[in-house]
């Protein structure tokens, strides 16, 4: 597993969020009345965005399962916590350090991460 692969879940989440925002904006414009049907001229675009969003959401689920399985195979508990906080929960290094606790710093958890990644490549 590479760092690029580990970051895929975060990227998929960002894509899904952007699609969701675009869909909401389009639905505001396209709806006829507060609970009305989608205006015919926007129906195709709304349908496409909904399908794309569903695809990204399914991608997020698959990617999360794949990451959780990989992280679960890391032999060290603290490293599993570091990787879970960073890649499953999309935390910053400072947030990861606080989450792990024990007086760990953001540099400390990042270096532990980097050492582990170097050891498996």
């Amino acid at each position: 597993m590479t760092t690029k692969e580990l970051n895929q879940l975060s990227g998929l989440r960002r894509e899904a969020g952007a699609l969701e925002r675009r869909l909401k904006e389009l639905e505001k414009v396209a709806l006829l009345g507060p609970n009305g049907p989608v205006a015919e001229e926007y129906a195709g675009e709304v349908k496409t965005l909904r399908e794309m969003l569903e695809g990204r959401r399914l991608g997020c689920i698959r990617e999360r399962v794949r990451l959780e399985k990989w992280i679960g195979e890391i032999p060290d508990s603290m490293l599993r916590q570091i990787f879970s906080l960073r890649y499953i929960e999309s935390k910053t290094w400072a947030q990861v350090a606080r989450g792990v606790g024990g007086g760990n710093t953001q540099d400390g958890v990042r270096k532990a991460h980097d050492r582990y990644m170097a050891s498996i490549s």
Side-chain angles (χ1 to χ4, degrees):
M1 180 85 60
T2 66
T3 303
K4 184 177 180 178
E5 291 172 309
L6 289 167
N7 282 310
Q8 286 299 305
L9 179 58
S10 183
L12 285 168
R13 284 180 178 149
R14 282 190 301 274
E15 287 178 14
L19 283 170
E20 196 166 359
R21 287 186 298 277
R22 284 177 40 208
L23 181 59
K24 285 180 182 178
E25 289 171 11
L26 182 60
E27 286 175 335
K28 277 184 189 176
V29 172
L31 287 177
L32 301 173
N35 295 314
V38 174
E40 198 171 309
E41 68 243 41
Y42 297 107
E45 191 172 350
V46 167
K47 182 178 183 244
T48 299
L49 284 175
R50 285 179 181 158
E51 290 169 354
M52 290 172 64
L53 179 57
E54 184 62 24
R56 293 309 184 286
R57 286 177 176 159
L58 288 173
C60 284
I61 292 168
R62 283 193 291 276
E63 190 62 23
R64 182 178 177 132
V65 167
R66 188 173 78 93
L67 284 176
E68 287 175 339
K69 181 178 178 185
W70 185 83
I71 291 168
E73 294 173 3
I74 296 173
D76 182 78
S77 174
M78 187 174 93
L79 284 171
R80 284 194 303 272
Q81 291 176 58
I82 290 170
F83 278 82
S84 289
L85 290 166
R86 180 68 178 174
Y87 297 109
I88 301 295
E89 297 185 30
S90 300
K91 302 290 185 188
T92 65
W93 288 117
Q95 292 168 322
V96 170
R98 283 192 300 276
V100 171
N104 286 288
T105 65
Q106 63 184 14
D107 285 339
V109 294
R110 183 184 48 77
K111 286 178 183 177
H113 165 278
D114 292 349
R115 281 191 301 271
Y116 182 74
M117 291 301 290
S119 77
I120 63 169
S121 58

